[in-house]
Amino acid sequence: MSSLEVHQFPCLSDNYGYLIHDAAAGVTATIDTPEVAPINAALAEKGWKLTHILNTHHHFDHAGGNLELKEQWNCRIIGSRSDARRIPGIDEEVGDGDSFRFGSFDVQVFDVSGHTIGHIAFYIPNAASLFCGDALFALGCGRLFEGTPAQMWTSLQKLSALPDDTRVYCAHEYTQSNAAFALSVEPQNADLKKRAEQITTLRAANKPTVPSTIGEEKATNPFLRPMSPELQANLNLQGADLVEVFAETRRRKDSF
Ligand code: ZN
Ligand code: FE
């Protein structure tokens, strides 16, 4: 079986761009289009031709380069069916539970609404890779601009059900500030303390903290841990409904 190459590079102030490439099939996709120049520079560096754009959601730092890249590369744009009117140049609409082929790889689509309505994530089982945009971050989750806490919690549960070794390619390097918040609500979590130290070391060396894995996120990300007794106690929500715990965690992060 051929392997999927993932090339990660910085865009804008704190976004990550991703190119995924199946050499045998000769296909290359960009996950979102945060910024045209670094995407084209990455393509040139790799010697790859852009054949697809996979959009997670409509925000400008995710779909802002769609039309310019489509004009230049005549590539096929795949995005959310329920958000199609906000995805510039969309050619193929996909939704929760759909899958499509990218070269020899099966790409599964999850609706992960909450940050926006119609936000989707792309999971590639044979590459153990998840591209989740602004739904799940390393030690965090997206702000609820359009959806409700219940919607976001439903979305995040789909992602935390993936295998522990799944690499989580999120769209922003927010991890260090997320770690500070996570420690404020779960200060006794030993895995979190260890991870926060690793993150400090990586960022001091200007290295990315992304990708992480689903296993790491389940152990340390407070937004996947509303069932944690320590988190519940620190929010004064012992035994509360998990949506309520999640909602309060998100509220506190908004003003942290
Ligand atoms: Zn966004
Ligand atoms: Fe974003």
Side-chain angles (χ1 to χ4, degrees), residues 12 14-15 32 56-57 59-62 115 119 133-134 137 145 171-172 174:
L12 302 172
D14 53 28
N15 281 73
D32 288 331
T56 62
H57 66 297
H59 283 158
F60 187 77
D61 62 317
H62 298 264
H115 175 67
H119 192 309
D134 291 353
F137 292 128
F145 287 121
H172 290 273
Y174 290 157

Side-chain angles (χ1 to χ4, degrees), residues 48-111:
W48 296 343
K49 292 183 167 63
L50 190 68
T51 55
H52 296 74
I53 293 171
L54 310 187
N55 281 126
T56 62
H57 66 297
H58 71 89
H59 283 158
F60 187 77
D61 62 317
H62 298 264
N66 274 22
L67 294 180
E68 194 178 337
L69 286 167
K70 186 175 182 174
E71 170 81 26
Q72 183 181 345
W73 294 96
N74 194 29
C75 53
R76 181 171 182 79
I77 301 183
I78 301 175
S80 173
R81 178 176 303 120
S82 61
D83 204 20
R85 70 193 160 80
R86 298 192 292 187
I87 303 295
I90 189 168
D91 296 298
E92 183 174 341
E93 301 178 10
V94 295
D96 194 51
D98 288 348
S99 61
F100 61 91
R101 299 296 288 181
F102 174 74
S104 58
F105 291 87
D106 181 44
V107 182
Q108 298 180 5
V109 179
F110 298 106
D111 182 292

Side-chain angles (χ1 to χ4, degrees), residues 148-151 153-154 157 226 240-249:
T148 65
Q151 272 174 319
W153 174 235
T154 299
Q157 283 175 280
D241 184 74
L242 297 186
V243 173
E244 203 185 324
V245 178
F246 172 79
E248 178 62 16
T249 309

